Amino acid sequence: AAYRYHKRFLQMMNSKFQPESHWLLKAPMHCTYMDSLTKEYPDARIVFTHRDPLAVNPSWVKLMESYIGWDYRDNVCDRKFFASHFKEAHEIQVQRMIEWKKHANKEQYFELNYDTMIKDPVAAVAAIYEHFGLECDDEFKARMRQWHADNRQGKYGRAPYTLEEYGFTEEQTRADFKDYYEQCLGNAY
């Protein structure tokens, strides 16, 4: 039912604010409900951007923690307890994505390594477009290069974080995400 509403909402937006090419939605939480998403959007083109959990977990928790900071004073919650819930959510997302890929049409999704995207975003987008049979001409690539030059990662600074501040360890993270490291991160473009 949630994706039925989601689709209706996009249709309403599309009726007044139609994009030139296609809608692009970014939300890692969709990995939790891939069957529901693809049932409602059978023609969806899905890009899984794979990033090392050693970086993702503390980064995601730092982002969520910043949202709490809008309404609460510092140290209002146990950071490590808070982080453990987001790590568990990430584990569920990863496992459900892996399970979904076992029966999904490989033409419907593309797997991209985050580091590859950061090193050469234009080549990464060109590979995505090629996979899905979309046009990626020289003018489009030039516009991407210009946008990237104007919007470098870290342009507005960085929020520092570490595994340790949230109670994570490298050894435990690698063990918890073993399947992801083996089946996704190492096999992505």
Side-chain angles (χ1 to χ4, degrees):
Y3 281 108
R4 206 170 313 125
Y5 175 79
H6 186 271
K7 185 175 184 178
R8 180 69 48 117
F9 186 78
L10 279 179
Q11 288 170 331
M12 286 181 2
M13 285 180 31
N14 201 56
S15 71
K16 296 291 182 186
F17 307 102
Q18 193 168 31
E20 290 180 29
S21 176
H22 53 269
W23 285 98
L24 178 65
L25 309 173
K26 179 188 175 198
M29 283 64 77
H30 290 305
C31 289
T32 312
Y33 308 105
M34 292 304 301
D35 284 323
S36 297
L37 182 139
T38 53
K39 179 181 177 189
E40 202 59 46
Y41 297 103
D43 58 347
R45 297 175 184 122
I46 298 159
V47 177
F48 293 116
T49 306
H50 297 300
R51 187 176 181 198
D52 192 332
L54 293 171
V56 170
N57 288 340
S59 174
W60 190 24
V61 175
K62 183 74 167 189
L63 177 64
M64 296 299 110
E65 188 178 44
S66 74
Y67 296 160
I68 288 177
W70 293 345
D71 298 319
Y72 301 103
R73 294 184 312 262
D74 288 344
N75 303 315
V76 73
C77 71
D78 180 329
R79 298 174 89 200
K80 292 179 181 179
F81 181 75
F82 182 71
S84 71
H85 289 285
F86 284 97
K87 184 191 78 76
E88 287 177 29
H90 188 204
E91 287 178 283
I92 291 168
Q93 290 170 357
V94 164
Q95 286 306 317
R96 289 189 181 175
M97 176 195 55
I98 289 170
E99 286 303 312
W100 178 81
K101 288 185 347 181
K102 288 177 182 176
H103 67 269
N105 177 351
K106 291 182 193 271
E107 293 177 12
Q108 187 173 20
Y109 66 91
F110 183 84
E111 299 188 87
L112 175 66
N113 187 302
Y114 177 83
D115 292 336
T116 300
M117 181 181 67
I118 293 302
K119 286 176 190 161
D120 192 347
V122 174
V125 171
I128 292 166
Y129 272 55
E130 181 180 328
H131 177 80
F132 292 122
L134 300 171
E135 185 179 345
C136 185
D137 61 23
D138 289 339
E139 179 186 346
F140 181 55
K141 290 176 185 177
R143 288 196 325 263
M144 282 192 291
R145 283 187 194 92
Q146 185 59 54
W147 185 93
H148 188 258
D150 294 342
N151 296 281
R152 290 270 179 216
Q153 187 180 38
K155 177 179 176 179
Y156 299 106
R158 295 187 180 272
Y161 51 81
T162 65
L163 287 169
E164 296 75 22
E165 72 186 288
Y166 295 112
F168 301 139
T169 66
E170 181 174 344
E171 182 180 17
Q172 188 61 51
T173 300
R174 289 192 185 281
D176 291 341
F177 290 89
K178 182 178 183 287
D179 291 344
Y180 180 72
Y181 280 105
E182 291 174 358
Q183 297 179 39
C184 300
L185 200 57
N187 297 323
Y189 169 84

